[in-house]
């Protein structure tokens, strides 16, 4: 580049030139009849003339002394030449920042600050390519930050009697950006603090320890996005419903930061409250949809609510705009539970419906958020297909499966979205372990004679399961009271079901009437109304729910001694 012409473009050069022009015009002598200087630039025989003598016009910018310009500007300027980048010049601002520098010495020795800042390779690159390069906000040992621009120049090196040689050099121009760098660092620190607050809030609102049902083995993983990604509102939960049934939830609040985490916490709390009502999955989502709109109309969320019933060997679920549940059966075949799916929570005006997918012994199911499968470079269906392939080969405990899926889908600490994964397994039990999980059922046919048959059936089954005499008597009493209540207030078909796990004995009676019983205080003169009170007194837990076919189920549990 032309070194002299370049100097005219330095900051402040044109302002100083204009000031000198004004001073010259103000002091120039004026004779009678002369044309004012302001008009002399316009009037001439040729129509347009240059500035008067002594003024600095555009054609005289080239005559400005470069060194004088460099000496006065506040930016740091250094000029080096040759392959060793020997110092040709440093201006006063450079000396004030880094101290005096000897002319003629190579930069690696005489300019250690450039070496510390990693600029020597950049000087080599500029000299080779003859193209300018800029590096932003490099912090020097003094604590000041500078943005460096290295520009190739052609300058006389001198050295022979015949005349100066033309050589290559690099002009180093550094602007002090300490204030900007400190402001940017304060902003980053504020963002980090806000992100840490959101992460802490998010993790505190997630279950600290997952409930472990009798019939399932469950593990979950939550991984926030990288430092450049704001925390979202992913959540999961496992809720024991009683009677051997378990609710599983996973959801994702749209948006980022503390607000999304707070909305997530409210939705998770609401789901746990609605789950205690033991409603079908679609009714839970229906209630949650209305609540989501009340919490924040600008926030929407996707969610899957599923219920596992070991007696049915299936996973009944409802989805509000969420990704499909994946199930690998005992033969290794992957099933995708795609339908039915409604719109996200908070949109309103939709009636959700429930579907089901088989989940028998030996099966593994995965519930997940979009951070696991969504990538900017591919369709989300491709991500779900990749997850299916990863699940088909992921064996081991639920926690091992979680970790393998995270690795297989390429989720790292720098991932651009947070990820939640919930894995549940229905283990296939054999041998002595299978003896701890037994089922027996009796269809209650006929009228009042069904009651003694039910007592006899319960007595025989509980005796064959080798329960203690005390637990056997309590179980038979509870079965008798539940059957009597169903015979009096329910309608056919009726069934008594006994189930034992390694932790509890479960007694359940179903019938065709959907009126749920409630515990009430019986007066001394009342001949009825004590059945549920007796069951609630002797059992560890009891409850009732409506069944999909329009009837109800009433159940109670007895904890087994450890």
């Amino acid at each position: 580049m032309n070194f002299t012409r370049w100097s005219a473009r330095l900051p402040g050069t044109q302002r100083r030139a204009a000031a000198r022009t004004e001073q010259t015009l103000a002091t120039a002598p004026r004779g009678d009849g002369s044309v004012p200087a302001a008009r002399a630039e316009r009037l001439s025989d040729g129509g347009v003339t240059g500035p008067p003598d002594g003024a600095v016009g555009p054609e005289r910018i080239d005559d400005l002394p470069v060194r004088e310009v460099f000496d006065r500007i506040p930016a740091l300027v250094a000029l080096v030449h040759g392959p060793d980048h020997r110092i040709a010049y440093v201006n006063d601002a450079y000396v004030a920042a880094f101290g005096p520098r000897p002319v003629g010495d190579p930069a690696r020795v005489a300019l250690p600050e450039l070496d510390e800042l990693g600029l020597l390779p950049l000087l080599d690159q500029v000299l080779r390519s003859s193209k300018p390069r800029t590096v932003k906000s490099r912090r020097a040992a003094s604590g000041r930050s500078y943005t460096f621009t290295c520009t190739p120049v052609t300058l006389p090196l001198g050295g022979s009697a015949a005349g100066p040689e033309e050589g290559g050099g690099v002009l180093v121009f550094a602007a002090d950006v300490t204030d900007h760098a400190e402001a940017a660092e304060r902003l980053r620190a504020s963002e980090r603090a806000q992100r840490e607050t959101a992460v802490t809030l998010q993790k505190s609102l997630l279950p600290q320890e997952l409930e472990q049902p009798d019939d399932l083995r469950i593990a979950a993983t939550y991984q926030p996005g990288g430092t450049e990604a704001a925390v979202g509102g992913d959540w999961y939960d496992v809720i024991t419903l009683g009677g051997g049934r378990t609710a599983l939830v996973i959801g994702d609040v749209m948006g980022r930061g503390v607000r999304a985490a707070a909305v997530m916490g409210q939705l998770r709390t609401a789901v746990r409250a609605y789950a205690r009502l033991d409603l079908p999955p679609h009714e839970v989502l229906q209630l949650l949809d209305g609540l989501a709109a009340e919490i924040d109309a600008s926030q929407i969320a996707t969610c899957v609510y599923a219920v596992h019933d070991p007696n049915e060997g299936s996973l009944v679920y409802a989805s509000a705009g969420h990704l499909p549940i994946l199930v690998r059966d005992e033969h290794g075949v992957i099933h995708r539970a795609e339908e039915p799916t409604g719109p996200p929570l908070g949109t309103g005006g939709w009636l959700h419906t429930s579907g089901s997918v088989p989940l028998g012994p030996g099966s593994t199911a995965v519930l997940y958020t979009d951070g696991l499968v969504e990538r900017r470079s591919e369709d989300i269906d491709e991500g779900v297909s990749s997850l299916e392939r990863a699940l088909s080969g992921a064996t081991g405990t639920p926690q091992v499966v979680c970790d393998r899926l995270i690795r297989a889908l390429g989720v790292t600490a720098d991932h651009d979205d947070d990820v939640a994964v919930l894995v549940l397994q229905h283990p296939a039990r054999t041998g002595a372990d299978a003896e701890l999980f037994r089922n027996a059922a009796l269809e209650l046919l006929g009228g009042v004679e069904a009651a003694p048959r039910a007592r006899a059936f319960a007595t025989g089954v509980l005796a064959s399961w080798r329960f203690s005499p005390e637990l056997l008597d309590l179980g038979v009493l509870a079965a008798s009271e539940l059957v009597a209540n169903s015979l009096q207030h329910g309608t056919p078909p009726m069934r008594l079901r006994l189930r034992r796990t390694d932790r509890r004995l479960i007694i359940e009676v179903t019938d065709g009437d959907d009126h749920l019983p409630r515990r009430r205080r019986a007066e001394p003169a009342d001949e009825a109304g004590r059945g549920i009170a007796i069951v609630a007194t002797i059992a560890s837990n009891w409850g009732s729910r409506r069944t999909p076919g329009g009837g109800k189920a009433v159940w109670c549990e007895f904890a087994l001694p450890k």
Side-chain angles (χ1 to χ4, degrees), residues 373-398:
V373 296
E374 189 173 25
R375 302 292 181 270
R376 298 179 186 275
S377 58
E378 63 183 24
D379 187 80
I380 195 169
D381 286 336
E382 297 179 14
V384 176
S385 298
S386 298
L387 179 60
E388 289 180 343
R389 291 190 294 270
L391 178 60
S392 64
T395 57
T397 65

PDB file of all heavy atoms in Angstrom, residues 373-398:
ATOM      1  N   VAL A 373     -32.828 -35.246  20.404  1.00  0.00           N
ATOM      2  CA  VAL A 373     -32.931 -35.696  19.013  1.00  0.00           C
ATOM      3  C   VAL A 373     -32.961 -34.571  17.992  1.00  0.00           C
ATOM      4  O   VAL A 373     -32.840 -34.827  16.796  1.00  0.00           O
ATOM      5  CB  VAL A 373     -34.198 -36.563  18.832  1.00  0.00           C
ATOM      6  CG1 VAL A 373     -34.111 -37.832  19.657  1.00  0.00           C
ATOM      7  CG2 VAL A 373     -35.464 -35.790  19.197  1.00  0.00           C
ATOM      8  N   GLU A 374     -33.125 -33.325  18.433  1.00  0.00           N
ATOM      9  CA  GLU A 374     -33.254 -32.219  17.478  1.00  0.00           C
ATOM     10  C   GLU A 374     -31.890 -31.620  17.171  1.00  0.00           C
ATOM     11  O   GLU A 374     -31.126 -31.277  18.072  1.00  0.00           O
ATOM     12  CB  GLU A 374     -34.181 -31.143  18.033  1.00  0.00           C
ATOM     13  CG  GLU A 374     -34.522 -30.067  17.018  1.00  0.00           C
ATOM     14  CD  GLU A 374     -35.575 -29.100  17.534  1.00  0.00           C
ATOM     15  OE1 GLU A 374     -35.690 -28.951  18.769  1.00  0.00           O
ATOM     16  OE2 GLU A 374     -36.278 -28.499  16.711  1.00  0.00           O
ATOM     17  N   ARG A 375     -31.585 -31.489  15.873  1.00  0.00           N
ATOM     18  CA  ARG A 375     -30.344 -30.884  15.414  1.00  0.00           C
ATOM     19  C   ARG A 375     -30.670 -29.860  14.336  1.00  0.00           C
ATOM     20  O   ARG A 375     -31.612 -30.042  13.554  1.00  0.00           O
ATOM     21  CB  ARG A 375     -29.381 -31.939  14.847  1.00  0.00           C
ATOM     22  CG  ARG A 375     -29.009 -33.039  15.817  1.00  0.00           C
ATOM     23  CD  ARG A 375     -28.161 -32.525  16.970  1.00  0.00           C
ATOM     24  NE  ARG A 375     -27.789 -33.597  17.881  1.00  0.00           N
ATOM     25  CZ  ARG A 375     -28.507 -33.968  18.930  1.00  0.00           C
ATOM     26  NH1 ARG A 375     -29.650 -33.355  19.195  1.00  0.00           N
ATOM     27  NH2 ARG A 375     -28.102 -34.945  19.717  1.00  0.00           N
ATOM     28  N   ARG A 376     -29.876 -28.796  14.268  1.00  0.00           N
ATOM     29  CA  ARG A 376     -30.129 -27.736  13.289  1.00  0.00           C
ATOM     30  C   ARG A 376     -29.960 -28.241  11.858  1.00  0.00           C
ATOM     31  O   ARG A 376     -30.589 -27.735  10.933  1.00  0.00           O
ATOM     32  CB  ARG A 376     -29.173 -26.569  13.532  1.00  0.00           C
ATOM     33  CG  ARG A 376     -29.333 -25.922  14.886  1.00  0.00           C
ATOM     34  CD  ARG A 376     -28.342 -24.785  15.058  1.00  0.00           C
ATOM     35  NE  ARG A 376     -28.362 -24.225  16.414  1.00  0.00           N
ATOM     36  CZ  ARG A 376     -29.200 -23.300  16.825  1.00  0.00           C
ATOM     37  NH1 ARG A 376     -30.084 -22.807  15.975  1.00  0.00           N
ATOM     38  NH2 ARG A 376     -29.161 -22.844  18.059  1.00  0.00           N
ATOM     39  N   SER A 377     -29.111 -29.237  11.673  1.00  0.00           N
ATOM     40  CA  SER A 377     -28.759 -29.659  10.322  1.00  0.00           C
ATOM     41  C   SER A 377     -29.631 -30.782   9.783  1.00  0.00           C
ATOM     42  O   SER A 377     -29.433 -31.229   8.654  1.00  0.00           O
ATOM     43  CB  SER A 377     -27.288 -30.109  10.287  1.00  0.00           C
ATOM     44  OG  SER A 377     -27.075 -31.174  11.204  1.00  0.00           O
ATOM     45  N   GLU A 378     -30.591 -31.282  10.574  1.00  0.00           N
ATOM     46  CA  GLU A 378     -31.391 -32.401  10.086  1.00  0.00           C
ATOM     47  C   GLU A 378     -32.810 -32.328  10.624  1.00  0.00           C
ATOM     48  O   GLU A 378     -33.091 -31.635  11.616  1.00  0.00           O
ATOM     49  CB  GLU A 378     -30.752 -33.734  10.489  1.00  0.00           C
ATOM     50  CG  GLU A 378     -30.670 -33.976  11.975  1.00  0.00           C
ATOM     51  CD  GLU A 378     -29.972 -35.279  12.340  1.00  0.00           C
ATOM     52  OE1 GLU A 378     -29.166 -35.766  11.532  1.00  0.00           O
ATOM     53  OE2 GLU A 378     -30.225 -35.805  13.437  1.00  0.00           O
ATOM     54  N   ASP A 379     -33.693 -33.043   9.962  1.00  0.00           N
ATOM     55  CA  ASP A 379     -35.092 -33.096  10.375  1.00  0.00           C
ATOM     56  C   ASP A 379     -35.196 -33.859  11.685  1.00  0.00           C
ATOM     57  O   ASP A 379     -34.442 -34.802  11.943  1.00  0.00           O
ATOM     58  CB  ASP A 379     -35.928 -33.780   9.287  1.00  0.00           C
ATOM     59  CG  ASP A 379     -37.415 -33.690   9.598  1.00  0.00           C
ATOM     60  OD1 ASP A 379     -38.005 -32.637   9.334  1.00  0.00           O
ATOM     61  OD2 ASP A 379     -37.957 -34.687  10.098  1.00  0.00           O
ATOM     62  N   ILE A 380     -36.170 -33.465  12.523  1.00  0.00           N
ATOM     63  CA  ILE A 380     -36.280 -34.094  13.836  1.00  0.00           C
ATOM     64  C   ILE A 380     -36.651 -35.573  13.730  1.00  0.00           C
ATOM     65  O   ILE A 380     -36.293 -36.384  14.587  1.00  0.00           O
ATOM     66  CB  ILE A 380     -37.285 -33.329  14.720  1.00  0.00           C
ATOM     67  CG1 ILE A 380     -37.127 -33.746  16.188  1.00  0.00           C
ATOM     68  CG2 ILE A 380     -38.719 -33.546  14.232  1.00  0.00           C
ATOM     69  CD1 ILE A 380     -37.874 -32.863  17.158  1.00  0.00           C
ATOM     70  N   ASP A 381     -37.354 -35.962  12.645  1.00  0.00           N
ATOM     71  CA  ASP A 381     -37.669 -37.382  12.455  1.00  0.00           C
ATOM     72  C   ASP A 381     -36.405 -38.209  12.284  1.00  0.00           C
ATOM     73  O   ASP A 381     -36.358 -39.384  12.694  1.00  0.00           O
ATOM     74  CB  ASP A 381     -38.580 -37.566  11.247  1.00  0.00           C
ATOM     75  CG  ASP A 381     -40.013 -37.122  11.539  1.00  0.00           C
ATOM     76  OD1 ASP A 381     -40.382 -37.121  12.725  1.00  0.00           O
ATOM     77  OD2 ASP A 381     -40.734 -36.773  10.593  1.00  0.00           O
ATOM     78  N   GLU A 382     -35.381 -37.616  11.680  1.00  0.00           N
ATOM     79  CA  GLU A 382     -34.116 -38.329  11.556  1.00  0.00           C
ATOM     80  C   GLU A 382     -33.485 -38.543  12.923  1.00  0.00           C
ATOM     81  O   GLU A 382     -32.883 -39.587  13.193  1.00  0.00           O
ATOM     82  CB  GLU A 382     -33.162 -37.549  10.647  1.00  0.00           C
ATOM     83  CG  GLU A 382     -33.652 -37.402   9.210  1.00  0.00           C
ATOM     84  CD  GLU A 382     -32.666 -36.606   8.371  1.00  0.00           C
ATOM     85  OE1 GLU A 382     -31.519 -36.408   8.813  1.00  0.00           O
ATOM     86  OE2 GLU A 382     -33.049 -36.170   7.275  1.00  0.00           O
ATOM     87  N   GLY A 383     -33.633 -37.546  13.802  1.00  0.00           N
ATOM     88  CA  GLY A 383     -33.118 -37.700  15.159  1.00  0.00           C
ATOM     89  C   GLY A 383     -33.847 -38.791  15.922  1.00  0.00           C
ATOM     90  O   GLY A 383     -33.223 -39.571  16.656  1.00  0.00           O
ATOM     91  N   VAL A 384     -35.176 -38.872  15.764  1.00  0.00           N
ATOM     92  CA  VAL A 384     -35.936 -39.937  16.432  1.00  0.00           C
ATOM     93  C   VAL A 384     -35.523 -41.298  15.876  1.00  0.00           C
ATOM     94  O   VAL A 384     -35.396 -42.279  16.635  1.00  0.00           O
ATOM     95  CB  VAL A 384     -37.450 -39.699  16.267  1.00  0.00           C
ATOM     96  CG1 VAL A 384     -38.242 -40.851  16.860  1.00  0.00           C
ATOM     97  CG2 VAL A 384     -37.863 -38.378  16.922  1.00  0.00           C
ATOM     98  N   SER A 385     -35.296 -41.386  14.576  1.00  0.00           N
ATOM     99  CA  SER A 385     -34.836 -42.650  13.985  1.00  0.00           C
ATOM    100  C   SER A 385     -33.466 -43.036  14.526  1.00  0.00           C
ATOM    101  O   SER A 385     -33.197 -44.218  14.784  1.00  0.00           O
ATOM    102  CB  SER A 385     -34.795 -42.529  12.458  1.00  0.00           C
ATOM    103  OG  SER A 385     -36.086 -42.268  11.930  1.00  0.00           O
ATOM    104  N   SER A 386     -32.591 -42.048  14.713  1.00  0.00           N
ATOM    105  CA  SER A 386     -31.278 -42.332  15.302  1.00  0.00           C
ATOM    106  C   SER A 386     -31.432 -42.847  16.731  1.00  0.00           C
ATOM    107  O   SER A 386     -30.694 -43.751  17.159  1.00  0.00           O
ATOM    108  CB  SER A 386     -30.411 -41.075  15.288  1.00  0.00           C
ATOM    109  OG  SER A 386     -30.178 -40.626  13.970  1.00  0.00           O
ATOM    110  N   LEU A 387     -32.384 -42.280  17.472  1.00  0.00           N
ATOM    111  CA  LEU A 387     -32.632 -42.754  18.830  1.00  0.00           C
ATOM    112  C   LEU A 387     -33.158 -44.187  18.819  1.00  0.00           C
ATOM    113  O   LEU A 387     -32.783 -45.003  19.679  1.00  0.00           O
ATOM    114  CB  LEU A 387     -33.609 -41.819  19.532  1.00  0.00           C
ATOM    115  CG  LEU A 387     -33.989 -42.195  20.964  1.00  0.00           C
ATOM    116  CD1 LEU A 387     -32.757 -42.239  21.861  1.00  0.00           C
ATOM    117  CD2 LEU A 387     -35.021 -41.208  21.521  1.00  0.00           C
ATOM    118  N   GLU A 388     -34.011 -44.514  17.878  1.00  0.00           N
ATOM    119  CA  GLU A 388     -34.506 -45.894  17.763  1.00  0.00           C
ATOM    120  C   GLU A 388     -33.358 -46.877  17.547  1.00  0.00           C
ATOM    121  O   GLU A 388     -33.305 -47.941  18.170  1.00  0.00           O
ATOM    122  CB  GLU A 388     -35.516 -45.989  16.617  1.00  0.00           C
ATOM    123  CG  GLU A 388     -36.844 -45.309  16.885  1.00  0.00           C
ATOM    124  CD  GLU A 388     -37.781 -45.444  15.708  1.00  0.00           C
ATOM    125  OE1 GLU A 388     -37.302 -45.759  14.601  1.00  0.00           O
ATOM    126  OE2 GLU A 388     -38.994 -45.239  15.891  1.00  0.00           O
ATOM    127  N   ARG A 389     -32.441 -46.502  16.652  1.00  0.00           N
ATOM    128  CA  ARG A 389     -31.299 -47.390  16.397  1.00  0.00           C
ATOM    129  C   ARG A 389     -30.421 -47.523  17.639  1.00  0.00           C
ATOM    130  O   ARG A 389     -29.928 -48.621  17.944  1.00  0.00           O
ATOM    131  CB  ARG A 389     -30.488 -46.865  15.216  1.00  0.00           C
ATOM    132  CG  ARG A 389     -31.212 -46.966  13.881  1.00  0.00           C
ATOM    133  CD  ARG A 389     -30.291 -46.656  12.722  1.00  0.00           C
ATOM    134  NE  ARG A 389     -29.848 -45.257  12.725  1.00  0.00           N
ATOM    135  CZ  ARG A 389     -30.497 -44.278  12.113  1.00  0.00           C
ATOM    136  NH1 ARG A 389     -31.634 -44.522  11.467  1.00  0.00           N
ATOM    137  NH2 ARG A 389     -30.021 -43.034  12.148  1.00  0.00           N
ATOM    138  N   ALA A 390     -30.241 -46.410  18.345  1.00  0.00           N
ATOM    139  CA  ALA A 390     -29.426 -46.476  19.559  1.00  0.00           C
ATOM    140  C   ALA A 390     -30.104 -47.315  20.630  1.00  0.00           C
ATOM    141  O   ALA A 390     -29.444 -48.087  21.341  1.00  0.00           O
ATOM    142  CB  ALA A 390     -29.162 -45.059  20.072  1.00  0.00           C
ATOM    143  N   LEU A 391     -31.435 -47.194  20.758  1.00  0.00           N
ATOM    144  CA  LEU A 391     -32.160 -47.963  21.764  1.00  0.00           C
ATOM    145  C   LEU A 391     -32.130 -49.458  21.467  1.00  0.00           C
ATOM    146  O   LEU A 391     -32.078 -50.284  22.385  1.00  0.00           O
ATOM    147  CB  LEU A 391     -33.604 -47.466  21.854  1.00  0.00           C
ATOM    148  CG  LEU A 391     -34.528 -48.205  22.827  1.00  0.00           C
ATOM    149  CD1 LEU A 391     -33.989 -48.116  24.247  1.00  0.00           C
ATOM    150  CD2 LEU A 391     -35.950 -47.633  22.743  1.00  0.00           C
ATOM    151  N   SER A 392     -32.154 -49.822  20.194  1.00  0.00           N
ATOM    152  CA  SER A 392     -32.162 -51.247  19.833  1.00  0.00           C
ATOM    153  C   SER A 392     -30.907 -51.963  20.319  1.00  0.00           C
ATOM    154  O   SER A 392     -30.945 -53.178  20.573  1.00  0.00           O
ATOM    155  CB  SER A 392     -32.294 -51.404  18.316  1.00  0.00           C
ATOM    156  OG  SER A 392     -31.157 -50.857  17.658  1.00  0.00           O
ATOM    157  N   GLY A 393     -29.796 -51.224  20.467  1.00  0.00           N
ATOM    158  CA  GLY A 393     -28.565 -51.857  20.915  1.00  0.00           C
ATOM    159  C   GLY A 393     -28.140 -51.479  22.315  1.00  0.00           C
ATOM    160  O   GLY A 393     -27.067 -51.898  22.774  1.00  0.00           O
ATOM    161  N   ALA A 394     -28.963 -50.688  23.022  1.00  0.00           N
ATOM    162  CA  ALA A 394     -28.603 -50.231  24.372  1.00  0.00           C
ATOM    163  C   ALA A 394     -29.174 -51.198  25.404  1.00  0.00           C
ATOM    164  O   ALA A 394     -30.389 -51.261  25.613  1.00  0.00           O
ATOM    165  CB  ALA A 394     -29.128 -48.818  24.611  1.00  0.00           C
ATOM    166  N   THR A 395     -28.311 -51.959  26.039  1.00  0.00           N
ATOM    167  CA  THR A 395     -28.734 -52.913  27.055  1.00  0.00           C
ATOM    168  C   THR A 395     -28.096 -52.533  28.388  1.00  0.00           C
ATOM    169  O   THR A 395     -27.229 -51.669  28.461  1.00  0.00           O
ATOM    170  CB  THR A 395     -28.320 -54.340  26.667  1.00  0.00           C
ATOM    171  OG1 THR A 395     -26.896 -54.390  26.478  1.00  0.00           O
ATOM    172  CG2 THR A 395     -29.006 -54.765  25.378  1.00  0.00           C
ATOM    173  N   GLY A 396     -28.547 -53.199  29.441  1.00  0.00           N
ATOM    174  CA  GLY A 396     -28.035 -52.921  30.772  1.00  0.00           C
ATOM    175  C   GLY A 396     -29.104 -52.306  31.648  1.00  0.00           C
ATOM    176  O   GLY A 396     -30.298 -52.327  31.324  1.00  0.00           O
ATOM    177  N   THR A 397     -28.684 -51.782  32.782  1.00  0.00           N
ATOM    178  CA  THR A 397     -29.622 -51.159  33.713  1.00  0.00           C
ATOM    179  C   THR A 397     -30.185 -49.878  33.097  1.00  0.00           C
ATOM    180  O   THR A 397     -29.622 -49.324  32.141  1.00  0.00           O
ATOM    181  CB  THR A 397     -28.916 -50.816  35.033  1.00  0.00           C
ATOM    182  OG1 THR A 397     -27.915 -49.820  34.776  1.00  0.00           O
ATOM    183  CG2 THR A 397     -28.245 -52.053  35.625  1.00  0.00           C
ATOM    184  N   PRO A 398     -31.289 -49.355  33.638  1.00  0.00           N
ATOM    185  CA  PRO A 398     -31.845 -48.103  33.094  1.00  0.00           C
ATOM    186  C   PRO A 398     -30.838 -46.954  33.079  1.00  0.00           C
ATOM    187  O   PRO A 398     -30.813 -46.172  32.128  1.00  0.00           O
ATOM    188  CB  PRO A 398     -33.030 -47.818  34.022  1.00  0.00           C
ATOM    189  CG  PRO A 398     -33.456 -49.158  34.502  1.00  0.00           C
ATOM    190  CD  PRO A 398     -32.206 -49.954  34.641  1.00  0.00           C
TER     191      PRO A 398
END
